[in-house]
Amino acid sequence: MSEQPVISVVIPLKNEEESVPDLAAEVAQVLDAAGLAWECWWVNDGSTDGTLDVLRRLRAANPRHRWIDMANSFGQSAALATGFRHARGEFITTLDGDGQNDPHDIPRLL
């Protein structure tokens, strides 16, 4: 992934294995349709379900999806701060891991 992203999306997760695939597909669809160079940082905040396995498969399928695995659960604020430190985009936005935020809002924010 050599292209500098215009936008970095940071998504904190805690036991969200079921919502990740659909949210990832929607993020990719929206940002690709908007013609934006992007990356998405998924921050696994000590999940005890299969979230990490889902993130590994996601990264293998699309390298613009990246993940960070926090050893323990440190909370949403710490997860966001960790994602912000890794983000390379000119702009950074966040989404909730359970789909409460609409990725279609991202192009409008820019």
Side-chain angles (χ1 to χ4, degrees), residues 28-41:
Q29 184 272 325
V30 167
L31 297 179
D32 287 345
L36 297 169
W38 60 274
E39 65 179 2
C40 186
W41 283 97

Side-chain angles (χ1 to χ4, degrees), residues 45 68 70:
D45 185 29
I68 303 161
M70 298 174 72

Side-chain angles (χ1 to χ4, degrees), residues 17-99:
E17 72 178 303
E18 292 183 15
S19 63
V20 170
D22 290 340
L23 182 56
E26 190 173 11
V27 166
Q29 184 272 325
V30 167
L31 297 179
D32 287 345
L36 297 169
W38 60 274
E39 65 179 2
C40 186
W41 283 97
W42 303 82
V43 184
N44 184 38
D45 185 29
S47 294
T48 57
D49 65 356
T51 296
L52 187 56
D53 291 332
V54 172
L55 294 175
R56 286 182 177 124
R57 290 191 301 272
L58 181 61
R59 169 75 175 160
N62 185 339
R64 288 182 290 184
H65 289 285
R66 298 164 168 252
W67 55 269
I68 303 161
D69 186 35
M70 298 174 72
N72 294 302
S73 180
F74 294 102
Q76 185 179 46
S77 295
L80 287 169
T82 299
F84 295 159
R85 281 194 301 276
H86 286 81
R88 300 177 308 127
E90 181 179 354
F91 300 98
I92 301 172
T93 190
T94 64
L95 292 174
D96 195 86
D98 63 7

